[in-house]
Amino acid sequence: MLNLIPPLLLIIAALTILILSRTRVNLGRVWLVALISSALVWVLVVALGILRPGGFQVENWITAFPGPTRFSLNYTPNTWVLGFLLSSMLVIVLLTEAKTLQDQNQLAILATEMILTAIGFLAVMANSALAYLVTWVMIDLIEFGLLSLINKDEGIHRSITISLVLRMLGSLLMVYVLVMMNNGKNSAELPGLIVFFIAGLRIGILPIHKNYTNVSTLKRGVGTILRFIPSLTVASFLFFINPGTYTPALLLFLKIVLSIGAIYGALAWLLAKDELDGRVFWILSIGCLSLIAFLIQSFAAILG
């Protein structure tokens, strides 16, 4: 249960910020509340890595599927690293946003960032297929709401919708995994392409994530949260799931395609006009390399 304290603290702090945004309180003071809460969460995550408390688990959450519906949240040594990265990223993002706070609407964005990070904590702690499915759907819904808040352009909205629909397709494939596990299969017996497409759709490779705003301050702040949380949660999933079954020819083909993708991402990142425009290609390159490590079962290399 102690593992749930950081995300709960972030949610409470975010709700407090939303309430304060309705008043005439000084923006700097509200930002300070967010920063102190996030710094405290960072300290708690470090403490959890040292203490290693037990996790949270609910058996047979959905009675129609008694087998695979265990909802389990807990850190492993690998996923704790992802939680530490999440907490560190939030603190850094809040520090960079200090000079860009100009109106009350940005407080709503700040609060949503904290809520999204809180769900991200739950996703990297996920230790069952159902836990990944639930947290991924929550992340997608929150992200769609946040992107709708910061973007008014119809063309960008269309791009956002297509991207999220494709990502939710990865969640629908997770439903297939739940059904297969309910029929007695373990993750090692699953079709490898199903697992591969779940990871590829969720991590931002199929399709490549795009920058959904041209405002540099938003790309540096909320854009960082939106781009890295899906990738970190998929890294957690790769530690949890077995690669599944592949024919030798298919495995070779996937490794070749991912290698080409990694090289392309690296070159595109190198040629990008700045680090913000190049970030999506960096994620593409690292994502491809992580999937190669997953396919060859070199799990220590997934984190890079």
Side-chain angles (χ1 to χ4, degrees), residues 19-288:
I19 294 172
L20 292 176
S21 68
R22 301 292 182 178
T23 67
R24 295 181 178 273
V25 68
N26 182 274
L27 295 180
R29 292 180 180 178
V30 178
W31 170 83
L32 188 60
V33 170
L35 181 63
I36 292 174
S37 301
S38 301
L40 180 57
V41 165
W42 185 89
V43 173
L44 289 173
V45 171
V46 173
L48 291 173
I50 298 172
L51 297 176
R52 303 287 173 85
F56 173 79
Q57 182 169 300
V58 178
E59 295 286 350
N60 296 334
W61 197 38
I62 303 175
T63 55
F65 296 94
T69 55
R70 178 175 59 90
F71 188 90
S72 178
L73 301 172
N74 196 18
Y75 281 123
T76 66
N78 287 323
T79 58
W80 174 85
V81 174
L82 301 174
F84 176 77
L85 292 175
L86 264 178
S87 60
S88 302
M89 179 177 64
L90 180 61
V91 172
I92 293 171
V93 165
L94 291 177
L95 287 172
T96 62
E97 289 182 331
K99 60 181 180 181
T100 63
L101 288 177
Q102 298 175 352
D103 54 53
Q104 302 292 333
N105 289 334
Q106 287 182 290
L107 294 181
I109 295 175
L110 189 151
T112 308
E113 290 172 0
M114 298 178 73
I115 293 175
L116 193 58
T117 304
I119 305 303
F121 275 121
L122 299 180
V124 299
M125 282 193 291
N127 200 27
S128 66
L130 181 62
Y132 281 106
L133 175 62
V134 171
T135 53
W136 281 347
V137 170
M138 293 173 67
I139 287 172
D140 290 340
L141 293 176
I142 295 171
E143 179 174 336
F144 182 78
L146 179 57
L147 289 171
S148 299
L149 179 65
I150 65 177
N151 285 300
K152 305 300 181 184
D153 184 86
E154 183 178 342
I156 294 179
H157 269 296
R158 189 180 302 111
S159 178
I160 292 170
T161 302
I162 293 173
S163 178
L164 289 179
V165 167
L166 289 172
R167 195 186 305 167
M168 291 195 77
L169 178 59
S171 300
L172 289 176
L173 290 175
M174 182 60 83
V175 176
Y176 171 81
V177 170
L178 282 171
V179 173
M180 296 300 291
M181 293 175 68
N182 187 58
N183 292 332
K185 289 185 177 292
N186 58 48
S187 60
E189 299 172 317
L190 293 172
L193 274 180
I194 296 295
V195 178
F196 177 82
F197 277 117
I198 290 174
L201 289 166
R202 298 290 318 176
I203 205 171
I205 294 177
L206 305 170
I208 301 174
H209 278 171
K210 298 180 180 179
N211 289 316
Y212 295 130
T213 177
N214 294 321
V215 182
S216 61
T217 54
L218 290 177
K219 286 197 291 186
R220 193 177 299 277
V222 64
T224 300
I225 298 287
L226 292 175
R227 292 287 72 86
F228 282 99
I229 283 183
S231 301
L232 292 175
T233 61
V234 170
S236 172
F237 173 71
L238 296 181
F239 285 122
F240 164 77
I241 200 76
N242 191 284
T245 57
Y246 300 87
T247 64
L250 177 59
L251 186 61
L252 177 61
F253 172 76
L254 291 176
K255 287 192 288 187
I256 292 174
V257 170
L258 290 171
S259 298
I260 294 172
I263 294 172
Y264 166 76
L267 292 174
W269 172 79
L270 186 64
L271 297 175
K273 65 179 182 179
D274 57 44
E275 75 278 8
L276 294 178
D277 285 340
R279 180 170 56 197
V280 293
F281 300 110
W282 185 85
I283 292 175
L284 169 65
S285 185
I286 295 298
C288 288

